[in-house]
Amino acid sequence: MADMPVITVDGPSGTGKGTVCSFLANWLGWHLLDSGALYRILALAADKHAVSLQDELSLAELAEKLQIQFTAQQAGSLVKVMLDDEDVTDAIRTEACGNAASQVAAIVPVRQALLARQHAFCQPPGLIADGRDMGTVVFPDADLKIYLTASADIRAERRYKQLLDKGIGANLRDLSADIRARDERDSNRAVSPLKSAEDAIIIDTGELEINEVVNAIRKHVNETFPNLQQ
Ligand code: C5P
């Protein structure tokens, strides 16, 4: 793992991290770690096995045992998430699952249990790591660290439009309240709080189109890895 090139992309949800990371992984042909999916899968598994979100030790045990498989058609494109032979790709994307994920993510033994799984994604030819603590805790020696940010209102509006596009009814005020509550919990937890690494490049995506964000990051990638062959 020592010499493997790693790019970390951290920040709260709704900043465009997922889109940026899929683009980077496809462009470079590198692996993609969607670390939020791991916390979401654990929250879903807890529900399935009737484990309380307060039962820290059982949650950590569950995190160790989970049979998770990410199936990509090609390096970088996350197509299917399997939990114990069940396709949970859509089930982990609900607002309820995201909120439960943020609760299990605040538990220290859970984060420890998921650490080795995250390191295992670091395989040749390189890794794009998407999350909250990729640059600060999981891959502190990453070659390039990006931190995406945007106001809670803008992120809530983006999420609202995404849900409407999918034909899912949503209430903007509720979404905004959920996003603020999740930000609050993710930023103020004792372990691995959401924050930018000191050496991260911070990009406010609030007023930018996604292609402008991608182009800005591409420049940084080219500067960091001048000899890359895409
Ligand atoms: O990114 P996503 O919305 O899928 O993450 C779901 C939740 O998982 C976040 O709200 C956060 O609480 C948690 N998470 C985390 N550390 C990460 C990735 C996600 O705590 N590296």
Side-chain angles (χ1 to χ4, degrees), residues 8-12 131-137 145-149 183 186-200 202:
T8 59
V9 184
D10 288 303
R132 303 290 187 290
D133 61 341
M134 298 295 99
T136 49
V137 175
K145 300 180 185 179
I146 306 285
Y147 187 87
L148 300 184
T149 177
D183 281 0
D186 289 351
S187 307
N188 294 320
R189 66 183 176 216
V191 57
S192 303
L194 167 65
K195 65 169 186 192
S196 66
E198 275 176 17
D199 48 350
I202 300 176

Side-chain angles (χ1 to χ4, degrees), residues 35-36 39-40 102 105 111 131-134 182 186 189:
S35 60
Y39 294 96
R40 286 172 180 267
S102 144
R111 298 198 78 89
R132 303 290 187 290
D133 61 341
M134 298 295 99
R182 187 124 71 94
D186 289 351
R189 66 183 176 216

